[in-house]
Amino acid sequence: MKVVLQRSKQASVTVDGEVKGRIQSGLVLLVGITHGDTEAEAAYIADKVVNLRIFEDGDGKMNDSLLDRGGEILSISQFTLYGDTRKGRRPNFMDAAKPEEAEAIYDRFNALLREKGVQVETGVFGAMMDVQLINDGPVTLIVEK
């Protein structure tokens, strides 16, 4: 499992011209699932994401977590995170989990985030989506298990 995390001042996801998810201050997560990922990987990454100290405290140092801030999450499924570009000019997506497998883990990941008390908005799994965000910092990290 791989997540590209971006600290955001606001973000939204639109499918076919309709806004499906919108957050104010918080995190945008691009979530990739690979073969063999289970709830264990989802739980590890969910815990890591909400507890990473990547928000400024009163002294301007990155000491606060999303839970400390009460921020929101916009979670977007992103199979292309497992695109292999080492050979040729067309990415190979063989490392991405099959949609039915990936969707179950993705849904469980979002449920685990919600269980931690975080407001989670999502796009539509497998759909073509337009994602807009204002990256705060910018702060962008890759979280993997």
Side-chain angles (χ1 to χ4, degrees), residues 35-54:
H35 306 287
D37 280 344
T38 67
E39 184 172 339
E41 285 80 17
Y44 171 86
I45 291 182
D47 186 65
K48 181 68 77 172
V49 163
V50 299
N51 287 295
L52 277 173
R53 295 174 13 180
I54 57 172

Side-chain angles (χ1 to χ4, degrees), residues 2-141:
K2 184 183 305 187
V3 172
V4 174
L5 169 155
Q6 295 179 303
R7 196 173 70 183
S8 176
K9 291 183 179 180
Q10 66 182 29
S12 66
V13 60
T14 304
V15 177
D16 294 330
E18 181 182 343
V19 174
K20 296 294 185 178
R22 174 179 285 138
I23 64 166
Q24 293 303 311
S25 178
L27 300 173
V28 174
L29 308 179
L30 303 177
V31 182
I33 312 293
T34 191
H35 306 287
D37 280 344
T38 67
E39 184 172 339
E41 285 80 17
Y44 171 86
I45 291 182
D47 186 65
K48 181 68 77 172
V49 163
V50 299
N51 287 295
L52 277 173
R53 295 174 13 180
I54 57 172
F55 292 90
E56 281 88 13
D57 63 12
D59 295 327
K61 296 185 184 204
M62 289 202 302
N63 278 326
D64 287 349
S65 71
L66 184 75
L67 292 179
D68 295 330
R69 285 295 187 85
E72 304 167 296
I73 288 176
L74 178 60
S75 175
I76 308 293
S77 62
Q78 186 75 40
F79 81 93
T80 61
L81 291 178
Y82 281 100
D84 184 350
T85 60
R86 291 176 291 181
K87 292 170 70 176
R89 296 184 183 218
R90 183 181 309 207
N92 176 326
F93 296 108
M94 296 300 290
D95 287 341
K98 300 232 180 284
E100 52 280 354
E101 176 188 348
E103 187 171 14
I105 297 298
Y106 173 71
D107 289 345
R108 184 62 187 133
F109 173 68
N110 292 324
L112 289 163
L113 292 169
R114 290 182 181 109
E115 288 172 13
K116 295 179 180 305
V118 177
Q119 173 67 35
V120 179
E121 297 285 321
T122 66
V124 176
F125 185 90
M128 291 295 292
M129 295 176 269
D130 296 326
V131 180
Q132 295 183 324
L133 74 126
I134 298 174
N135 195 318
D136 182 14
V139 173
T140 302
L141 299 167

